[in-house]
Amino acid sequence: MERSTFYGKYGKRLLDLIIASILLPVFVTTILLIAFLLLIVSGRPVFFTQERTGLNNNNFQIWKFRTMKCDKAQQGKVKSWKGGVPEQFVFKQSQDLRMTGIGKLLRKLSLDELPQIINVLKGDMSLVGPRPEVPEITTFYNTEQARRLYVKPGITGLAQINGRSNIPHGRKIFYDIDYVESCSFALDLKILMRTIRVVLSREGAY
């Protein structure tokens, strides 16, 4: 279950609503422009939706701008694991042939994540938390790894400001569980501020 602190119960959701309500009008022009460019350059669909595992192992539909080609035959399949997801497992690859030209740019600038502001407003996600993983991976979590599901997934988090796609699964789990145990208003503000620097530097983004 989610942390039982006052901030975890009430403050975190209030912070999400306030900031997301400010961000949506600010970025609405950017979102519309990106959608238009994707439609012209890459075609339909403009948005990519996918089932992800959220708080307490409940699934939801995440929204992103589509950055890959519409070729389901090329999509990778996750292997079956015993005893949990391997520590060195890496889901993303820096050279993915499915990526479109404009998709690479959107990922480098982290603009593909903008539609997730809607997920935050709906309550599926938080601004800060572990990144939402696909059920094909979370199904194989061991007891320790499953602890990252005790809080809502976030657009950004400790793992995102400490390496993003450059770190293996085991390291991400370490940061995610650290966040679950240390979640606070001060920590969320710190992560949000550091996220701005990480996004601008484009470190670990692909």
Side-chain angles (χ1 to χ4, degrees):
M1 62 182 66
E2 201 164 4
R3 283 179 61 85
S4 58
T5 63
F6 179 83
Y7 177 70
K9 277 187 173 182
Y10 309 106
K12 188 171 176 61
R13 179 59 181 156
L14 181 60
L15 180 67
D16 286 340
L17 287 174
I18 291 173
I19 296 182
S21 297
I22 294 172
L23 289 178
L24 188 58
V26 170
F27 285 110
V28 67
T29 302
T30 304
I31 291 173
L32 291 174
L33 178 60
I34 292 173
F36 177 74
L37 288 174
L38 281 172
L39 186 61
I40 298 301
V41 176
S42 190
R44 296 181 179 180
V46 169
F47 295 101
F48 169 77
T49 61
Q50 186 182 49
E51 189 174 50
R52 297 290 178 95
T53 306
L55 174 65
N56 296 327
N57 212 32
N58 293 314
N59 294 346
F60 69 99
Q61 291 291 318
I62 195 173
W63 284 76
K64 302 177 68 173
F65 281 119
R66 182 171 63 86
T67 58
M68 292 189 176
K69 300 173 184 176
C70 296
D71 186 356
K72 294 183 179 180
Q74 292 186 33
Q75 295 182 7
K77 294 184 178 180
V78 178
K79 297 180 180 180
S80 177
W81 298 301
K82 292 183 179 180
V85 181
E87 293 278 310
Q88 297 304 315
F89 172 71
V90 177
F91 188 72
K92 285 186 179 181
Q93 297 180 357
S94 59
Q95 300 297 327
D96 196 321
L97 297 179
R98 296 173 295 167
M99 194 85 67
T100 63
I102 190 171
K104 291 179 181 179
L105 178 62
L106 291 177
R107 285 204 181 183
K108 279 290 184 182
L109 300 175
S110 297
L111 293 175
D112 61 313
E113 312 286 358
L114 282 181
Q116 286 163 44
I117 296 175
I118 302 297
N119 285 116
V120 173
L121 289 172
K122 287 176 59 182
D124 298 325
M125 294 177 60
S126 177
L127 291 170
V128 181
R131 283 297 296 164
E133 194 60 90
V134 294
E136 288 82 3
I137 291 179
T138 59
T139 297
F140 297 101
Y141 277 176
N142 57 34
T143 303
E144 180 70 6
Q145 293 168 345
R147 292 176 62 197
R148 74 188 299 271
L149 304 176
Y150 289 177
V151 297
K152 285 182 182 179
I155 296 178
T156 186
L158 274 180
Q160 279 59 56
I161 63 172
N162 285 284
R164 302 175 79 179
S165 299
N166 285 334
I167 58 178
H169 188 268
R171 197 62 183 167
K172 289 180 181 179
I173 291 291
F174 170 82
Y175 285 122
D176 290 342
I177 293 177
D178 186 21
Y179 176 77
V180 170
E181 296 176 344
S182 309
C183 178
S184 68
F185 176 69
L187 180 59
D188 277 3
L189 286 184
K190 178 182 177 181
I191 291 173
L192 288 171
M193 294 303 294
R194 285 191 60 185
T195 296
I196 297 174
R197 179 176 62 82
V198 170
V199 169
L200 291 176
S201 69
R202 294 176 287 179
E203 176 186 351
Y206 50 79

